[in-house]
Amino acid sequence: MSGPSTYNPKPGLMTWLDDRLPIIRLGYDSFVDYPTPRNLNYWWAFGGILTVFLMIQIITGITLAMHYIPHEDMAFNSIQRIVRDVPNGWLLQSMHANGASFFFIAVYIHMFRGLYYGSYKAPREILWILGVVIYLLMMATGFMGYVLPWGQMSYWGAMVITNLVGAIPFVGEAIREWLWGGFTVGQATLNRFFSLHYLLPFIIAAVVGLHIWALHVPGNGNPVGISVKTKKDTLPFHPYYTVKDGFAILLYLMIFCFFVFFMPNALGHADNFIEANALSTPSHIVPEWYYLPFYAILRAITFDIGPIDAKLGGVLAMFGAIAILFVLPWLDTSKVRSMRFRPLTRWFFIFFVVGALGLGYCGANNPDDIVFGGIKFLWLAQFLTFYYFAYFLLILPILGIVEKPKPRPASIEESVLGTSKA
Amino acid sequence: MTETNGAPDGSGQEPSRRDFIYIAAGGMAALGGGLVAWPFIDQMSPAADTLALGSTRVDISAVQVGSEITVMHRGAPLFVRRRTAEAITAARSVELSELPDPEARNENLPDGTPGTDENRVLRDEYLIVKGNCTHLGCVPLGLDENTGDYEGWYCPCHGSHYDTSARIRRGPAPENLPVPDYIFENDTTVKIGISGEEAAASGWAVS
């Protein structure tokens, strides 16, 4: 997609096709002869892994939808029927449920990769923003998918999240009723969540197309963060990166298969094996693990902020935690992309990752319980929430100005092969 | 041929009649788009049959003093508690200034009515409130499990405490548990989801 095409179709059918629909040329230029920095490490393999998991989710999802019944009296049992009676249904269900988790593991690694190596910086701002859009769509899809089995966690997770909308001043309750299609989470809610859960992955696929398009305009970033200058800095995508990505994909699929076959419910919640009951709330509602950091941020705001009450403040903080990613390219003031050359910021980044995982830990626990030594989970969550926002709003803007970066290599080629002898 | 058209680059030109046509056509297209989109958005609102499930009749003859039942109304839980004299006294001894939410939240009464216990019940003994916590919609625990620090209800999700008038006293919930529209058809039957005025208009016996 960038630079002149090097595709030479064979005379005959291939030339005939190329003159009419140059689709092979597009694939060739994008994934075969595409010039790729020669120093990409395995953190760059997660884009390919994510593509594979989007396809896994769509294929298993379409086949599961052939058996699933989006009805409040039948949804729960239809999942059990899929697992027990439908030929290979146990495999499809396990792949789909665990696939969601592995999709999110991969996307988090992919995002941390981007944060560490400055993948969001010019000229890749749109690429980054499209990635955040995909992530938001994934969260919406994952949330609605989790409601479909209509277990206790499904139902009460849906209740809690849709009630967040009610915190919006003036119009919140009307919007909530519109989302529910009734006076509470019920049949109408389940039915529309199924419809949207089926739709959104295709929208994700479309935005992924834009994401790759936006990637192929400036080309890949790379671990040293300096731009490609000469042809010697790059390799054709095939065979080096097809094999390297393929190897990473296979390793990742092996771990995935271990969960699918040997511990299919390890990442789920026991309460979701109880059918939804509108009269009884589980004593401890938790979302799927991949939302836990944001759930912790939601619950960390227990105080009013001026005219904003605690409930609305929590909702704003939770959505703000994602929204801030949209403006990240303009918050980080450093011209240096890779944190390899930012000795101070690097440590703040490492603590950011630890803090994000810590927020997930807080989200899984009762806020009033004790972490250690008399410190409540609530206090830890509040501290880590503060750090989360400070990282974007204080640390990155200030350090980009005051930090003295380490010297960078003259070229990608030099960073891989040593000083150029040319 | 070209005297009525704006310059192709539009630089420094007065708006032309063609600009007007562009804006008018674009505006109409946007309006039309909005009108077409509306039915597709509005279809998600509660359907007629959902709205028609408006009222629920509850037999309260078996509810003893100091006990409660939970019934389903419009797909959501509703608490009917027959209070002891002590519980009523406790609810009435609270000053409005002590309440995080000083409003009655009673669908039978206008908005802004003070949240005294008297304004939250039709008959002193029977407290009837919707059973979803006003924080995030969990079902608070009651007499069977945990009544919280104010002898009312306790929400296990995020620790909201309600008093014996189901008013929020401590915790993240912003409002009192709402009192639905209801009437006493007779001493043992409550009809939920119908206001006294509607009942009178349609000839229901209201006691």
Side-chain angles (χ1 to χ4, degrees):
Chain A
M1 285 189 214
S2 71
S5 176
T6 55
Y7 175 59
N8 277 314
K10 293 196 181 78
L13 180 65
M14 298 311 277
T15 301
W16 182 89
L17 175 65
D18 192 57
D19 288 342
R20 286 157 180 79
L21 178 70
I23 189 168
I24 310 244
R25 179 183 298 275
L26 178 69
Y28 183 87
D29 292 345
S30 305
F31 305 108
V32 179
D33 202 38
Y34 182 73
T36 314
R38 64 195 309 154
N39 59 339
L40 299 189
N41 56 31
Y42 274 108
W43 298 115
W44 263 261
F46 284 86
I49 289 171
L50 284 162
T51 311
V52 169
F53 272 83
L54 179 60
M55 291 191 292
I56 289 176
Q57 290 307 90
I58 288 179
I59 292 166
T60 55
I62 289 173
T63 45
L64 285 169
M66 296 180 186
H67 308 280
Y68 171 76
I69 305 168
H71 187 281
E72 59 184 346
D73 297 331
M74 293 185 264
F76 183 82
N77 289 330
S78 78
I79 303 284
Q80 290 308 309
R81 183 177 162 272
I82 286 169
V83 173
R84 293 157 196 271
D85 296 342
V86 172
N88 302 302
W90 60 272
L91 177 63
L92 299 178
Q93 193 276 337
S94 179
M95 284 179 76
H96 197 71
N98 286 289
S101 281
F102 276 75
F103 203 165
F104 273 96
I105 293 169
V107 88
Y108 283 131
I109 295 174
H110 192 64
M111 291 166 77
F112 281 131
R113 194 288 318 274
L115 287 172
Y116 184 79
Y117 291 112
S119 303
Y120 48 85
K121 293 188 190 185
R124 296 186 181 83
E125 300 96 325
I126 300 281
L127 170 62
W128 171 262
I129 288 169
L130 287 168
V132 181
V133 170
I134 293 168
Y135 175 57
L136 272 177
L137 288 168
M138 281 176 63
M139 294 184 91
T141 311
F143 162 66
M144 288 191 280
Y146 192 57
V147 175
L148 301 184
W150 211 239
Q152 274 288 68
M153 278 298 169
S154 299
Y155 182 90
W156 290 101
M159 181 70 86
V160 166
I161 300 300
T162 51
N163 264 303
L164 295 180
V165 179
I168 302 169
F170 308 116
V171 294
E173 292 190 11
I175 295 177
R176 188 178 61 185
E177 203 163 271
W178 174 74
L179 280 177
W180 284 341
F183 303 108
T184 185
V185 175
Q187 173 58 38
T189 324
L190 176 62
N191 223 143
R192 65 191 52 187
F193 277 17
F194 179 54
S195 171
L196 295 172
H197 181 72
Y198 204 120
L199 163 73
L200 286 184
F202 297 97
I203 302 212
I204 292 176
V207 184
V208 167
L210 295 178
H211 190 65
I212 295 174
W213 188 7
L215 166 68
H216 283 187
V217 173
N220 290 81
N222 66 84
V224 293
I226 56 179
S227 300
V228 170
K229 295 190 180 79
T230 66
K231 206 164 184 305
K232 287 180 178 172
D233 288 340
T234 66
L235 294 167
F237 191 79
H238 178 76
Y240 184 66
Y241 284 115
T242 44
V243 171
K244 186 167 183 170
D245 278 1
F247 179 65
I249 289 166
L250 287 177
L251 275 184
Y252 196 74
L253 283 174
M254 284 171 68
I255 305 169
F256 171 62
C257 286
F258 182 77
F259 276 81
V260 166
F261 291 113
F262 299 108
M263 39 202 301
N265 298 311
L267 298 169
H269 197 291
D271 275 350
N272 230 26
F273 284 93
I274 304 167
E275 190 168 4
N277 177 0
L279 293 179
S280 163
T281 308
S283 59
H284 186 45
I285 299 177
V286 283
E288 286 275 75
W289 68 263
Y290 34 85
Y291 303 124
L292 287 174
F294 299 101
Y295 192 53
I297 292 175
L298 168 77
R299 294 191 301 183
I301 310 299
T302 52
F303 43 86
D304 297 350
I305 308 163
I308 300 169
D309 66 26
K311 180 175 167 183
L312 180 60
V315 174
L316 290 177
M318 183 176 73
F319 286 107
I322 298 166
I324 204 165
L325 297 173
F326 282 108
V327 292
L328 169 62
W330 296 276
L331 290 174
D332 187 347
T333 51
S334 173
K335 294 267 186 296
V336 180
R337 294 199 188 99
S338 173
M339 295 226 184
R340 281 189 187 175
F341 307 107
R342 303 182 64 187
L344 211 52
T345 317
R346 191 167 179 273
W347 283 107
F348 283 100
F349 170 82
I350 290 168
F351 190 72
F352 177 79
V353 176
V354 174
L357 296 173
L359 277 172
Y361 182 51
C362 293
N365 281 281
N366 188 331
D368 289 330
D369 286 352
I370 302 296
V371 190
F372 58 81
I375 297 174
K376 284 182 178 184
F377 274 104
L378 174 65
W379 302 343
L380 180 62
Q382 286 173 335
F383 170 70
L384 293 176
T385 300
F386 173 78
Y387 183 80
Y388 182 97
F389 284 100
Y391 179 78
F392 293 112
L393 295 173
L394 296 173
I395 294 167
L396 287 180
I398 293 171
L399 280 186
I401 295 165
V402 302
E403 182 183 46
K404 186 178 179 336
K406 291 199 271 192
R408 278 143 283 151
S411 70
I412 293 172
E413 186 197 11
E414 186 190 301
S415 76
V416 180
L417 305 171
T419 310
S420 172
K421 296 176 184 74
Chain B
M1 290 290 282
T2 60
E3 79 274 18
T4 57
N5 295 345
D9 61 358
S11 57
Q13 292 287 320
E14 289 291 305
S16 66
R17 287 191 283 179
R18 178 157 294 185
D19 291 331
F20 174 78
I21 289 172
Y22 285 150
I23 293 166
M28 280 308 289
L31 181 67
L35 286 172
V36 171
W38 176 247
F40 293 88
I41 297 167
D42 187 48
Q43 52 82 20
M44 281 172 66
S45 303
D49 62 335
T50 308
L51 293 170
L53 295 173
S55 59
T56 308
R57 194 168 281 140
V58 182
D59 177 6
I60 55 170
S61 58
V63 185
Q64 302 297 315
V65 173
S67 74
E68 69 187 337
I69 56 172
T70 304
V71 295
M72 290 290 272
H73 170 63
R74 293 176 164 181
L78 196 89
F79 300 140
V80 180
R81 182 180 288 185
R82 190 169 177 186
R83 301 185 294 179
T84 60
E86 299 82 66
I88 298 168
T89 311
R92 300 199 165 174
S93 65
V94 180
E95 296 293 326
L96 279 181
S97 59
E98 296 175 58
L99 298 172
D101 175 18
E103 296 196 24
R105 308 289 172 194
N106 185 340
E107 291 178 5
N108 305 285
L109 298 172
D111 284 351
T113 306
T116 58
D117 185 62
E118 290 86 345
N119 284 340
R120 289 178 54 78
V121 290
L122 287 187
R123 295 185 182 182
D124 292 352
E125 265 192 353
Y126 292 99
L127 177 67
I128 301 178
V129 290
K130 295 185 181 180
N132 289 107
C133 182
T134 59
H135 181 224
L136 293 173
C138 300
V139 180
L141 305 175
L143 295 171
D144 292 340
E145 292 182 80
N146 187 343
T147 54
D149 293 352
Y150 296 88
E151 307 298 326
W153 282 267
Y154 172 73
C155 183
C157 291
H158 303 96
S160 290
H161 298 259
Y162 294 91
D163 68 9
T164 54
S165 193
R167 294 173 297 200
I168 181 64
R169 299 299 293 276
R170 202 173 76 231
E175 293 178 9
N176 303 326
L177 291 184
V179 179
D181 276 340
Y182 69 92
I183 56 168
F184 279 89
E185 282 187 350
N186 53 51
D187 284 349
T188 59
T189 310
V190 174
K191 193 174 162 77
I192 317 270
I194 183 168
S195 68
E197 288 168 22
E198 287 164 345
S202 55
W204 283 95
V206 185
S207 56

